[in-house]
Amino acid sequence: MTFVEFWVTLARVKGSTRRAAFVAGVAALVFAGAAYAANTKSFTDAGGDASTSPDLTSVAVSSDDAGLITVKLTLANRPALGATDGVAVALDTDQNPDTGAVFYGAEWELDLVAGSAATVYQATAAGDYTQVPAPASYHASFEGGVATLTFNAADFGITSGFNVHALGFDNNGGLDAAPDFRSVNYQLAGSTTPPALQPDHRAPVDLAIKSRGTHGKVAGLGYFAWDGRGVTADAFVIYKGKKIVGRVNLPLADTSPYLLYVARWKVPKKTKGKLRFCVRSTDRAGNKSNNSCAALTIK
Protein backbone atom coordinates (compact mmCIF):
# COMPACT_ATOMS: atom_id res chain seq x y z
CA MET A 1 0.00 0.00 0.00
CA THR A 2 1.36 3.40 -0.96
CA PHE A 3 1.40 6.27 1.52
CA VAL A 4 -1.40 8.10 -0.32
CA GLU A 5 -3.49 4.91 -0.26
CA PHE A 6 -2.78 4.66 3.48
CA TRP A 7 -4.30 8.09 4.15
CA VAL A 8 -7.24 7.38 1.85
CA THR A 9 -7.93 4.21 3.81
CA LEU A 10 -7.68 5.86 7.23
CA ALA A 11 -9.45 9.16 6.60
CA ARG A 12 -13.04 9.45 7.79
CA VAL A 13 -15.81 11.89 6.89
CA LYS A 14 -16.34 14.07 9.98
CA GLY A 15 -19.91 15.21 9.39
CA SER A 16 -21.53 16.36 6.17
CA THR A 17 -20.34 19.95 6.21
CA ARG A 18 -18.15 21.64 3.67
CA ARG A 19 -14.52 22.27 4.54
CA ALA A 20 -15.15 25.57 6.35
CA ALA A 21 -15.88 23.45 9.41
CA PHE A 22 -12.27 22.28 9.40
CA VAL A 23 -10.86 25.74 8.72
CA ALA A 24 -12.63 27.22 11.74
CA GLY A 25 -10.43 25.30 14.14
CA VAL A 26 -7.08 26.56 12.91
CA ALA A 27 -4.71 27.38 15.76
CA ALA A 28 -2.65 30.55 15.70
CA LEU A 29 0.98 29.79 14.95
CA VAL A 30 3.25 31.08 17.69
CA PHE A 31 7.03 31.13 17.48
CA ALA A 32 8.74 31.04 20.84
CA GLY A 33 12.32 31.45 19.66
CA ALA A 34 13.09 34.14 22.20
CA ALA A 35 12.91 31.55 24.98
CA TYR A 36 15.48 29.29 23.37
CA ALA A 37 18.95 29.37 21.89
CA ALA A 38 19.46 30.98 18.49
CA ASN A 39 19.23 27.66 16.64
CA THR A 40 16.02 26.49 18.40
CA LYS A 41 12.44 27.31 17.46
CA SER A 42 9.10 25.99 18.58
CA PHE A 43 5.50 26.36 17.52
CA THR A 44 2.22 25.45 19.13
CA ASP A 45 -0.96 23.73 18.04
CA ALA A 46 -4.31 24.01 19.81
CA GLY A 47 -5.04 21.19 22.25
CA GLY A 48 -8.31 19.31 22.07
CA ASP A 49 -8.47 19.30 18.27
CA ALA A 50 -7.71 15.57 17.89
CA SER A 51 -10.40 12.91 17.82
CA THR A 52 -8.91 9.53 18.68
CA SER A 53 -5.32 10.30 17.72
CA PRO A 54 -2.40 11.69 19.72
CA ASP A 55 -3.08 15.42 20.29
CA LEU A 56 -0.08 17.56 19.34
CA THR A 57 0.28 20.79 21.31
CA SER A 58 3.91 21.80 20.75
CA VAL A 59 6.73 21.12 18.30
CA ALA A 60 10.30 22.20 19.16
CA VAL A 61 13.17 21.96 16.67
CA SER A 62 16.84 22.43 17.58
CA SER A 63 20.26 21.63 16.15
CA ASP A 64 23.86 21.63 17.31
CA ASP A 65 27.13 22.59 15.63
CA ALA A 66 27.66 19.00 14.48
CA GLY A 67 24.44 19.04 12.46
CA LEU A 68 22.41 16.84 14.83
CA ILE A 69 18.76 17.90 14.66
CA THR A 70 16.32 17.19 17.47
CA VAL A 71 12.53 17.47 17.12
CA LYS A 72 10.37 17.17 20.23
CA LEU A 73 6.61 16.61 19.89
CA THR A 74 4.51 17.26 22.99
CA LEU A 75 1.18 15.45 23.26
CA ALA A 76 -1.70 16.58 25.47
CA ASN A 77 -3.45 13.23 25.72
CA ARG A 78 -0.79 10.54 25.70
CA PRO A 79 1.55 9.82 28.63
CA ALA A 80 2.50 6.82 26.51
CA LEU A 81 1.76 5.83 22.93
CA GLY A 82 -1.19 3.46 22.61
CA ALA A 83 -0.95 0.22 20.67
CA THR A 84 -2.34 1.81 17.48
CA ASP A 85 -0.70 5.25 17.84
CA GLY A 86 2.03 6.93 15.87
CA VAL A 87 3.70 10.30 15.43
CA ALA A 88 5.62 11.66 12.46
CA VAL A 89 7.72 14.59 11.31
CA ALA A 90 7.65 15.61 7.63
CA LEU A 91 10.66 17.45 6.18
CA ASP A 92 10.64 19.65 3.08
CA THR A 93 14.39 19.70 2.75
CA ASP A 94 14.62 21.82 -0.41
CA GLN A 95 12.29 24.37 1.25
CA ASN A 96 10.01 24.30 -1.78
CA PRO A 97 6.36 23.16 -1.36
CA ASP A 98 6.05 22.79 -5.14
CA THR A 99 8.36 19.76 -5.27
CA GLY A 100 8.43 16.52 -3.31
CA ALA A 101 5.37 14.73 -1.94
CA VAL A 102 1.81 16.05 -2.22
CA PHE A 103 1.99 16.51 1.56
CA TYR A 104 3.14 20.18 1.47
CA GLY A 105 6.16 19.29 -0.65
CA ALA A 106 7.96 17.17 1.95
CA GLU A 107 10.82 15.02 0.68
CA TRP A 108 10.90 12.87 3.82
CA GLU A 109 8.66 11.62 6.60
CA LEU A 110 10.11 10.18 9.80
CA ASP A 111 7.75 7.97 11.81
CA LEU A 112 7.59 6.58 15.32
CA VAL A 113 4.83 3.97 15.62
CA ALA A 114 4.03 2.11 18.83
CA GLY A 115 5.54 -1.36 18.85
CA SER A 116 7.52 -0.79 15.64
CA ALA A 117 11.00 0.32 14.70
CA ALA A 118 11.39 3.97 13.69
CA THR A 119 10.76 4.20 9.94
CA VAL A 120 11.60 6.63 7.13
CA TYR A 121 9.62 7.41 3.98
CA GLN A 122 10.99 9.26 0.93
CA ALA A 123 8.96 11.16 -1.68
CA THR A 124 8.63 9.54 -5.09
CA ALA A 125 8.50 11.25 -8.47
CA ALA A 126 4.73 10.69 -8.44
CA GLY A 127 4.36 12.75 -5.26
CA ASP A 128 3.71 9.73 -3.02
CA TYR A 129 6.00 8.24 -0.35
CA THR A 130 7.88 4.96 -0.29
CA GLN A 131 9.60 3.40 2.71
CA VAL A 132 13.41 3.43 2.61
CA PRO A 133 16.07 2.20 5.06
CA ALA A 134 16.48 4.56 8.00
CA PRO A 135 19.97 6.11 8.32
CA ALA A 136 21.97 5.13 11.38
CA SER A 137 21.64 8.64 12.79
CA TYR A 138 17.85 8.48 13.07
CA HIS A 139 16.58 7.65 16.56
CA ALA A 140 13.10 8.05 18.01
CA SER A 141 11.72 7.57 21.51
CA PHE A 142 8.68 8.45 23.59
CA GLU A 143 8.59 9.27 27.29
CA GLY A 144 6.35 11.34 29.53
CA GLY A 145 4.07 12.58 26.77
CA VAL A 146 6.95 13.74 24.55
CA ALA A 147 8.24 12.10 21.37
CA THR A 148 11.88 12.85 20.58
CA LEU A 149 13.26 12.34 17.08
CA THR A 150 16.94 12.96 16.31
CA PHE A 151 18.84 12.70 13.04
CA ASN A 152 21.85 14.08 11.23
CA ALA A 153 21.04 16.91 8.81
CA ALA A 154 23.42 15.59 6.15
CA ASP A 155 21.64 12.22 6.03
CA PHE A 156 18.56 13.97 4.63
CA GLY A 157 20.35 16.46 2.38
CA ILE A 158 19.80 19.42 4.70
CA THR A 159 22.41 22.14 4.22
CA SER A 160 20.81 25.31 5.59
CA GLY A 161 17.24 24.70 6.64
CA PHE A 162 13.95 22.94 5.96
CA ASN A 163 10.18 23.25 6.26
CA VAL A 164 8.62 21.00 8.88
CA HIS A 165 5.21 19.83 10.00
CA ALA A 166 4.23 17.11 12.46
CA LEU A 167 1.48 14.50 12.74
CA GLY A 168 -0.18 12.42 15.40
CA PHE A 169 -2.24 9.49 14.06
CA ASP A 170 -3.82 6.13 14.85
CA ASN A 171 -5.13 3.26 12.75
CA ASN A 172 -8.75 4.23 13.43
CA GLY A 173 -8.46 7.22 11.11
CA GLY A 174 -7.70 9.80 13.80
CA LEU A 175 -5.18 12.49 12.89
CA ASP A 176 -3.85 15.76 14.27
CA ALA A 177 -1.51 17.94 12.21
CA ALA A 178 0.72 20.69 13.60
CA PRO A 179 0.35 23.28 12.31
CA ASP A 180 -3.16 22.62 11.00
CA PHE A 181 -2.18 23.86 7.54
CA ARG A 182 1.16 23.97 5.75
CA SER A 183 4.62 23.89 7.33
CA VAL A 184 6.98 26.00 9.44
CA ASN A 185 10.45 27.01 8.26
CA TYR A 186 13.49 26.21 10.38
CA GLN A 187 17.07 27.36 9.74
CA LEU A 188 20.15 25.68 11.22
CA ALA A 189 21.59 29.15 11.80
CA GLY A 190 19.09 31.56 13.31
CA SER A 191 20.38 34.47 11.23
CA THR A 192 19.79 32.70 7.88
CA THR A 193 16.94 33.95 5.70
CA PRO A 194 14.70 31.26 4.16
CA PRO A 195 14.75 31.11 0.35
CA ALA A 196 11.99 33.06 -1.38
CA LEU A 197 9.18 31.08 -2.95
CA GLN A 198 9.23 30.96 -6.72
CA PRO A 199 6.09 31.18 -8.91
CA ASP A 200 3.82 28.18 -8.36
CA HIS A 201 3.58 25.96 -11.45
CA ARG A 202 2.56 22.73 -9.69
CA ALA A 203 -1.06 21.71 -10.16
CA PRO A 204 -3.11 20.22 -7.29
CA VAL A 205 -4.00 16.52 -7.36
CA ASP A 206 -7.62 15.48 -6.68
CA LEU A 207 -9.15 12.15 -5.73
CA ALA A 208 -12.93 11.71 -5.67
CA ILE A 209 -14.21 9.11 -3.18
CA LYS A 210 -17.24 6.86 -3.74
CA SER A 211 -20.20 8.49 -1.98
CA ARG A 212 -23.87 7.96 -1.14
CA GLY A 213 -26.96 10.07 -0.56
CA THR A 214 -30.75 10.19 -0.41
CA HIS A 215 -33.07 11.88 -2.90
CA GLY A 216 -34.48 15.16 -1.67
CA LYS A 217 -31.75 15.50 0.98
CA VAL A 218 -28.19 16.79 1.15
CA ALA A 219 -25.54 14.34 -0.04
CA GLY A 220 -21.87 14.57 0.84
CA LEU A 221 -19.40 14.28 -2.03
CA GLY A 222 -16.13 12.99 -0.57
CA TYR A 223 -12.77 14.01 -2.00
CA PHE A 224 -9.12 14.73 -1.33
CA ALA A 225 -7.41 17.84 -2.72
CA TRP A 226 -3.62 17.66 -2.50
CA ASP A 227 -1.83 20.97 -3.07
CA GLY A 228 1.75 21.81 -2.08
CA ARG A 229 0.77 25.23 -0.77
CA GLY A 230 -2.45 24.00 0.82
CA VAL A 231 -4.99 26.30 -0.85
CA THR A 232 -7.61 25.25 -3.42
CA ALA A 233 -10.98 26.15 -4.92
CA ASP A 234 -13.00 23.06 -5.85
CA ALA A 235 -15.59 22.56 -8.60
CA PHE A 236 -17.95 19.56 -8.78
CA VAL A 237 -20.15 18.30 -11.60
CA ILE A 238 -22.76 15.59 -10.91
CA TYR A 239 -23.91 13.33 -13.73
CA LYS A 240 -26.70 10.82 -14.31
CA GLY A 241 -25.51 9.03 -17.39
CA LYS A 242 -24.23 11.79 -19.65
CA LYS A 243 -26.65 14.37 -18.28
CA ILE A 244 -25.45 17.00 -15.82
CA VAL A 245 -27.86 17.07 -12.86
CA GLY A 246 -25.96 19.32 -10.49
CA ARG A 247 -22.96 21.53 -9.81
CA VAL A 248 -21.19 22.65 -6.64
CA ASN A 249 -18.45 25.29 -6.46
CA LEU A 250 -16.37 25.90 -3.34
CA PRO A 251 -14.31 29.11 -3.09
CA LEU A 252 -10.56 29.32 -2.51
CA ALA A 253 -9.74 28.16 1.02
CA ASP A 254 -7.12 26.37 3.12
CA THR A 255 -6.91 22.68 2.24
CA SER A 256 -5.13 19.96 4.21
CA PRO A 257 -3.78 16.97 2.26
CA TYR A 258 -4.48 14.80 5.28
CA LEU A 259 -8.25 15.37 5.42
CA LEU A 260 -11.08 13.85 3.45
CA TYR A 261 -13.38 16.75 2.61
CA VAL A 262 -17.09 16.71 1.85
CA ALA A 263 -18.96 19.01 -0.52
CA ARG A 264 -22.70 19.38 0.12
CA TRP A 265 -25.13 18.82 -2.74
CA LYS A 266 -28.93 19.07 -2.39
CA VAL A 267 -30.23 16.09 -4.33
CA PRO A 268 -33.37 16.79 -6.39
CA LYS A 269 -36.42 14.88 -5.10
CA LYS A 270 -36.84 12.89 -8.32
CA THR A 271 -33.15 11.95 -8.67
CA LYS A 272 -32.33 8.36 -7.70
CA GLY A 273 -30.06 5.53 -8.75
CA LYS A 274 -26.46 5.32 -9.85
CA LEU A 275 -24.84 8.68 -10.54
CA ARG A 276 -21.26 9.88 -10.60
CA PHE A 277 -19.54 13.10 -9.67
CA CYS A 278 -16.29 14.67 -10.79
CA VAL A 279 -14.12 17.18 -8.94
CA ARG A 280 -11.43 19.52 -10.22
CA SER A 281 -9.47 21.96 -8.08
CA THR A 282 -7.67 25.20 -8.85
CA ASP A 283 -4.91 26.61 -6.66
CA ARG A 284 -4.21 30.26 -5.87
CA ALA A 285 -1.89 30.56 -8.88
CA GLY A 286 -4.55 29.24 -11.25
CA ASN A 287 -3.07 25.76 -11.75
CA LYS A 288 -5.83 23.21 -12.39
CA SER A 289 -5.84 19.65 -11.06
CA ASN A 290 -6.76 16.43 -12.80
CA ASN A 291 -10.47 15.70 -13.22
CA SER A 292 -11.26 12.92 -10.73
CA CYS A 293 -14.59 11.06 -10.76
CA ALA A 294 -16.30 8.56 -8.45
CA ALA A 295 -19.60 6.75 -8.14
CA LEU A 296 -22.49 8.44 -6.33
CA THR A 297 -25.41 6.22 -5.27
CA ILE A 298 -28.69 7.98 -4.47
CA LYS A 299 -31.43 5.93 -2.81
Side-chain angles (χ1 to χ4, degrees):
M1 178 181 291
T2 68
F3 215 77
V4 167
E5 289 171 336
F6 171 79
W7 285 117
V8 170
T9 301
L10 290 189
R12 298 291 184 266
V13 178
K14 300 180 180 179
S16 58
T17 56
R18 66 139 300 171
R19 63 185 182 187
F22 298 101
V23 176
V26 178
L29 186 63
V30 179
F31 277 95
Y36 299 84
N39 59 346
T40 300
K41 281 188 175 178
S42 71
F43 58 94
T44 60
D45 182 67
D49 62 345
S51 53
T52 61
S53 72
D55 186 7
L56 293 164
T57 56
S58 177
V59 179
V61 186
S62 62
S63 60
D64 63 19
D65 291 340
L68 184 68
I69 297 172
T70 300
V71 183
K72 290 184 178 292
L73 311 177
T74 301
L75 307 181
N77 61 347
R78 294 290 197 277
L81 288 179
T84 66
D85 292 338
V87 294
V89 170
L91 307 173
D92 175 11
T93 53
D94 68 357
Q95 304 178 78
N96 182 0
D98 304 322
T99 61
V102 294
F103 302 102
Y104 301 133
E107 277 75 37
W108 305 90
E109 180 168 304
L110 284 57
D111 284 22
L112 172 62
V113 177
S116 301
T119 51
V120 172
Y121 295 86
Q122 185 176 17
T124 68
D128 200 350
Y129 281 129
T130 186
Q131 187 173 346
V132 296
S137 70
Y138 175 44
H139 299 282
S141 61
F142 191 91
E143 183 177 0
V146 178
T148 302
L149 288 70
T150 60
F151 54 92
N152 191 284
D155 287 340
F156 294 94
I158 298 169
T159 57
S160 61
F162 54 92
N163 297 324
V164 58
H165 65 275
L167 304 167
F169 56 90
D170 61 31
N171 66 2
N172 296 313
L175 184 138
D176 184 32
D180 291 299
F181 297 100
R182 293 173 288 279
S183 300
V184 173
N185 185 263
Y186 174 80
Q187 295 296 317
L188 300 180
S191 59
T192 304
T193 301
L197 278 178
Q198 300 302 306
D200 181 5
H201 298 297
R202 185 184 193 182
V205 178
D206 280 3
L207 180 64
I209 302 297
K210 183 178 179 180
S211 302
R212 292 179 173 272
T214 302
H215 68 281
K217 297 185 177 181
V218 174
L221 311 178
Y223 71 105
F224 287 90
W226 291 301
D227 180 64
R229 303 197 189 192
V231 180
T232 63
D234 312 310
F236 301 80
V237 182
I238 303 96
Y239 299 88
K240 186 168 186 180
K242 296 183 179 180
K243 181 182 178 181
I244 295 175
V245 295
R247 295 180 185 271
V248 177
N249 292 292
L250 302 182
L252 203 66
D254 288 330
T255 307
S256 169
Y258 297 103
L259 293 180
L260 174 63
Y261 288 106
V262 179
R264 294 166 61 90
W265 177 55
K266 180 63 180 295
V267 185
K269 290 183 179 180
K270 295 183 180 180
T271 299
K272 293 184 181 180
K274 294 188 180 298
L275 286 69
R276 66 186 175 96
F277 72 96
C278 299
V279 57
R280 193 172 192 187
S281 295
T282 305
D283 64 19
R284 192 184 298 277
N287 301 305
K288 293 185 180 299
S289 76
N290 58 308
N291 191 48
S292 180
C293 301
L296 173 62
T297 302
I298 302 298
K299 62 180 182 179

